[in-house]
């Protein structure tokens, strides 16, 4: 009798403690309980947001919650979303909150981490210091390597393809071609022009590799949001991620490693065609850092994996994002023939012009600086990156110890997952009136006040902000502007098939239909 009374008291105590810990404290007493709930179950369970993520509705769901509840919302017992600059992205991202493990869980490769996937700020800064300079605007604009890459890709691959399509009256899948263009560009800079891809001219290989890369994406959810479930199911022999994803990973890893082997053979080259700019900078930097520690040289195999992992991220982050931005830019412009004419007028002020075929076989292109200075082109690119941000999804960070204040809410406990998303920041109607409308003029100096432009710039988050901001933004902008300038100097575009052009709801996006069929005509 006494024993059963003790058991009962223990059981009741247990229930009371659990009720307090799992319901009463998080829902009513935690400092997070003051933050508006995106869903009534958010304080006690992350299930509802995980379910939305499983259904690929993350970005839209969070946006709807901010529209209803304001600049800060609670998504789960220990997860919040912010949607403001002051007290929001300025505190979290410029303030250097560390990355959440979400990144290495899904994007890790070669058994190690890269600048993109490192959670620790110190290790990250030391890696970023090695690479910032060769991705800076001034370096890229005056780089003879980028000059040769631009000339080769534009004059020998991209423009001849479009020119031929016009002559043959053939249609062009611009989304497919954009991925070829950006992969050729970024891989040539990473590993050397002679070692990079030639996706533009090798259609079959391009389609195969892009398919392998894209086919794994629907399964990223499991790594990102339910890693424990993935581990448990694996233990009992149940596969949530199909075997062919592993096979695709193997092929892609071998491909990434192959680039590094080729680049390594060109380490001593100073020829523009073969010198592997980013590879060389990274390898020399990592070796120097290792020497500075005074410890023995790093195991060459380990170093190889570190470099392969880092550069594989640049290859993937670098081609996919710029390609999708170009797809939406061509789509928007193809709906507006008058704006194409206006842009062409601006492009014809370039010296020399980007005319194709080349007059007198000249290969000289206008300087990147002169292309960068064109206001309408700049406005068109910026507006595309606002409305069709290639990374519109959440960028999770963790709050620091012991606590912090965000959007006016104080005592937010350490280790709370906090996200912002460009999808929402770019849809603030006070900053961007009629946010769903693609309106390049909102970025023009002569049509907006300095204060309006400054505010729009502050909320513009296509490349993120702070120490973890995109390292490749200047490369992306330079190659995109060159491609758009080359096209609209010479051609007019119109839409033939844009079925399912609406973007998927994900961290990185693409059109649901994975195509954009355009007709090109001589301008
Ligand atoms: C329009 C094109 C691009 C867009 C919109 C874009 C966007 C972004 C964003 C939003 C981030 C931060 C992500 C996060 O913290 O979750 C990022 C990081 C990064 N991006 Fe880009 N990116 C573009 C092009 C490129 C290119 C061309 C490269 C390669 C050279 C590149 C390499 C990287 C790397 C390595 C990081 C990690 C940086 C760090 O953690 O310090 N990106 N990018």
């Amino acid at each position: 009798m006494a024993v059963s009374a003790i058991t009962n008291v223990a059981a009741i105590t247990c229930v009371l403690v659990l009720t307090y810990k799992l319901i009463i404290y998080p829902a009513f007493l935690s400092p997070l309980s003051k933050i508006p709930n995106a869903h009534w179950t958010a304080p006690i369970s992350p299930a509802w947001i995980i379910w939305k993520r499983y259904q690929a509705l993350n970005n839209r769901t969070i946006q709807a919650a901010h529209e209803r509840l304001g600049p800060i919302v609670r998504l789960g017992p220990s997860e919040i979303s912010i949607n403001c600059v002051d007290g929001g992205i300025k505190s979290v991202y410029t303030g250097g909150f560390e990355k959440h493990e979400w990144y290495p869980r899904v994007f890790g490769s070669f058994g190690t981490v890269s600048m993109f996937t490192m959670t620790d700020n110190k290790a990250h800064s030391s890696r970023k210091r090695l690479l910032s300079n060769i991705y800076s605007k001034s370096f890229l604009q005056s780089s003879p390597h980028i000059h040769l890459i631009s000339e080769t890709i534009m004059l020998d691959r991209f423009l001849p393809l479009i020119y031929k399509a016009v002559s043959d009256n053939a249609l062009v899948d611009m989304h497919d071609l954009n991925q070829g263009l950006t992969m050729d560009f970024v891989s040539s800079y990473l590993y050397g022009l002679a070692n990079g891809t030639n996706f533009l001219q090798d259609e079959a290989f391009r389609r195969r590799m892009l398919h392998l890369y894209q086919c794994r994406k629907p399964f990223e959810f499991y790594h990102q949001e339910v890693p424990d479930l993935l581990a448990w199911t694996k233990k009992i022999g149940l596969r949530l991620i199909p075997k062919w994803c592993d096979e695709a990973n193997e092929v892609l890893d071998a491909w990434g490693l192959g680039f590094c082997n080729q680049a390594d053979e060109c380490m001593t080259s100073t020829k523009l065609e073969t010198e592997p700019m980013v590879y060389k900078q990274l390898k020399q930097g990592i070796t120097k850092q290792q020497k500075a520690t005074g410890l023995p040289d790093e195991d060459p195999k380990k170093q190889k994996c570190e470099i392969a992992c880092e550069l594989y991220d640049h290859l993937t982050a670098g081609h996919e994002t710029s390609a999708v931005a170009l797809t939406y830019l061509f789509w928007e412009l193809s709906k507006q023939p008058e704006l194409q004419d206006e842009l062409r007028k601006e492009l014809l002020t370039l010296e020399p012009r980007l005319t194709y075929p080349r007059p007198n076989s000249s290969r000289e292109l206008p300087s990147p600086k002169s292309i960068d200075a064109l206001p309408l082109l700049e406005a068109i690119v910026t507006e595309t990156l606002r409305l069709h941000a290639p990374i519109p999804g959440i960028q999770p960070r963790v709050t620091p110890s012991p606590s912090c204040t965000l959007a006016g809410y104080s005592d937010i406990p350490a280790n709370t997952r906090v996200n912002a998303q460009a999808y929402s920041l770019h849809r603030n109607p006070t900053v961007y009136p009629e946010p769903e409308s693609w309106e390049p003029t909102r970025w023009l100096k002569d049509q907006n006040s300095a204060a309006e432009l400054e505010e729009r710039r502050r909320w513009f988050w296509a490349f993120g902000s702070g120490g973890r901001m995109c390292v490749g933004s200047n490369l992306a902008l330079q190659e995109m502007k060159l491609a758009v300038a080359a096209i609209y100097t010479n051609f007019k575009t119109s839409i033939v098939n844009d079925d399912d052009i609406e973007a998927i709801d994900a961290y990185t996006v693409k059109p649901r239909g994975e195509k954009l069929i355009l007709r090109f005509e001589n301008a």
Side-chain angles (χ1 to χ4, degrees), residues 276-450:
M277 284 306 284
V278 186
Y279 181 89
K280 189 170 173 174
Q281 172 76 15
L282 183 62
K283 184 165 180 181
Q284 286 175 343
I286 290 182
T287 309
K288 206 165 153 193
Q289 277 181 346
Q290 180 69 22
K291 287 217 183 309
T293 62
L295 295 169
D297 286 352
E298 197 178 22
D299 169 14
K301 252 194 193 156
K302 195 171 159 235
Q303 192 188 70
K304 203 173 188 177
C305 285
E306 256 183 83
I307 298 174
C309 169
E310 183 63 58
L311 297 191
Y312 182 75
D313 268 9
H314 296 218
L315 189 72
T316 53
H319 92 273
E320 190 180 11
T321 46
S322 316
V324 83
L326 281 173
T327 296
Y328 282 109
L329 188 152
F330 289 130
W331 179 62
E332 293 285 6
L333 267 181
S334 298
K335 292 188 273 182
Q336 302 203 27
E338 279 136 37
L339 188 57
Q340 291 182 37
D341 292 342
E342 218 181 304
L343 175 61
R344 188 164 311 105
K345 238 195 229 163
E346 184 179 83
L347 295 171
L348 292 177
T349 64
L350 287 169
E351 196 53 60
R353 290 177 176 177
L354 262 162
T355 320
Y356 187 86
R358 303 300 292 162
N360 313 321
S361 317
S362 149
R363 290 181 68 81
E364 195 191 343
L365 301 179
S367 72
K369 216 171 174 175
S370 63
I371 300 177
D372 194 42
L374 299 174
L376 183 56
L377 179 60
E378 162 78 14
I380 286 171
V381 170
T382 310
E383 180 63 351
T384 304
L385 291 169
R386 180 195 69 83
L387 184 58
H388 303 289
I391 302 190
I394 51 172
Q395 299 182 23
R397 302 292 188 264
V398 284
T399 54
S401 183
S403 66
C404 65
T405 298
L406 290 173
Y409 289 85
S410 57
D411 299 322
I412 294 179
N415 289 322
T416 303
R417 172 167 152 176
V418 53
N419 322 310
Q421 55 177 21
Y423 188 88
S424 297
L425 289 159
H426 289 180
R427 280 170 173 73
N428 179 340
T430 318
V431 181
Y432 307 111
E434 294 189 51
E436 292 295 342
S437 160
W438 185 78
E439 189 45 78
T441 52
R442 68 171 98 236
W443 298 100
L444 292 175
K445 273 194 190 135
D446 56 358
Q447 296 189 33
N448 301 278
S449 71

Side-chain angles (χ1 to χ4, degrees), residues 93 99 102-103 107 114-118 124 128 135 186 189-190 278 310 313-315 317-323 325 385 389-391 393-397 422 461-473 475-477 479-480 507:
Y93 297 87
K99 275 192 167 176
W102 188 88
Y103 288 89
F107 298 110
S114 63
M115 185 158 84
F116 178 59
T117 51
M118 285 169 187
H124 168 266
K128 198 156 192 168
Y135 281 120
V186 71
Y189 193 49
L190 296 175
V278 186
E310 183 63 58
D313 268 9
H314 296 218
L315 189 72
H319 92 273
E320 190 180 11
T321 46
S322 316
L385 291 169
I391 302 190
I394 51 172
Q395 299 182 23
R397 302 292 188 264
W461 213 53
F463 296 108
S465 55
R468 309 299 297 248
M469 188 181 157
C470 178
V471 77
S473 61
L475 181 68
L477 291 170
E479 70 178 303
M480 283 167 61
Y507 174 71

Side-chain angles (χ1 to χ4, degrees), residues 6-24:
I6 290 168
T7 316
N8 285 346
V9 170
I12 290 167
T13 312
C14 239
V15 169
L16 287 177
V17 168
L18 285 176
T19 309
Y20 176 81
K21 263 194 91 147
L22 300 178
I23 299 176
I24 296 175

Side-chain angles (χ1 to χ4, degrees), residues 31-305:
L32 294 180
S33 65
K34 301 188 185 85
I35 295 172
N37 294 320
H39 187 262
W40 67 272
T41 58
I44 52 168
S45 164
W48 81 278
I49 189 70
I50 290 177
W51 177 239
K52 293 287 179 193
R53 285 172 181 155
Y54 176 73
Q55 295 173 299
L57 291 171
N58 176 78
N59 304 351
R60 283 157 177 80
T61 301
I62 292 178
Q63 166 64 0
H66 282 299
E67 275 176 15
R68 261 186 309 122
L69 302 164
I72 183 164
V73 294
R74 190 175 187 186
L75 301 175
S78 189
E79 181 177 355
I80 55 179
S81 171
I82 46 149
N83 190 37
C84 52
V85 176
D86 297 317
I89 54 171
K90 242 176 154 179
S91 309
V92 175
Y93 297 87
T94 319
F97 288 17
E98 292 200 326
K99 275 192 167 176
H100 190 271
E101 313 159 3
W102 188 88
Y103 288 89
R105 268 186 214 152
V106 68
F107 298 110
S109 60
F110 297 96
T112 184
V113 283
S114 63
M115 185 158 84
F116 178 59
T117 51
M118 285 169 187
T119 53
D120 171 45
N121 276 347
K122 222 171 139 196
H124 168 266
S125 315
S126 125
R127 173 67 54 88
K128 198 156 192 168
R129 266 200 302 277
L130 298 180
L131 295 170
S132 297
N133 185 44
I134 51 168
Y135 281 120
S136 68
K137 189 170 182 170
S138 55
F139 190 95
L140 292 167
Q141 285 191 342
S142 55
S143 159
H145 298 81
I146 288 287
H147 187 96
L148 181 68
I149 292 167
S150 304
E151 200 183 278
T152 308
I153 292 178
M154 283 301 133
L155 304 183
D156 302 338
R157 302 183 195 173
F158 190 53
L159 286 170
L161 269 172
I162 306 289
Y163 185 73
K164 184 165 184 313
V166 174
S167 316
D168 298 351
N169 201 15
L171 303 176
V172 180
D173 180 351
M174 221 37 208
H175 183 55
D176 177 39
L177 211 61
N178 289 336
Q179 292 175 83
L181 170 76
T182 53
M183 185 69 94
D184 286 0
F185 220 99
V186 71
S187 64
S188 299
Y189 193 49
L190 296 175
Y191 309 106
L193 178 62
N195 304 316
T197 57
N198 187 353
F199 269 17
L200 278 171
Q201 292 179 317
D202 190 346
E203 185 180 333
F205 189 59
R206 168 176 91 228
R207 295 220 161 145
R208 172 162 180 257
M209 296 315 277
L210 291 174
H211 168 73
L212 289 177
Y213 178 67
Q214 289 290 343
C215 73
R216 308 157 312 150
K217 296 225 154 195
F219 303 97
E220 281 176 357
F221 160 83
Y222 294 106
H223 291 288
Q224 275 167 345
E225 302 299 339
V226 286
D228 293 340
L229 179 69
L230 200 59
W232 293 333
T233 48
K234 204 171 168 189
K235 268 190 198 149
I236 58 165
L238 207 98
R239 287 195 79 100
L240 293 178
I241 300 181
K243 198 160 175 268
W244 46 262
C245 281
D246 296 345
E247 287 158 8
N249 281 335
E250 275 172 32
V251 177
L252 290 164
D253 280 3
W255 190 52
L257 215 54
F259 281 128
C260 291
N261 290 337
Q262 277 174 274
D264 208 60
E265 283 175 21
C266 302
M267 265 304 273
T268 53
S269 167
T270 48
K271 280 196 192 146
L272 291 185
E273 292 80 8
T274 44
E275 192 178 1
M277 284 306 284
V278 186
Y279 181 89
K280 189 170 173 174
Q281 172 76 15
L282 183 62
K283 184 165 180 181
Q284 286 175 343
I286 290 182
T287 309
K288 206 165 153 193
Q289 277 181 346
Q290 180 69 22
K291 287 217 183 309
T293 62
L295 295 169
D297 286 352
E298 197 178 22
D299 169 14
K301 252 194 193 156
K302 195 171 159 235
Q303 192 188 70
K304 203 173 188 177
C305 285

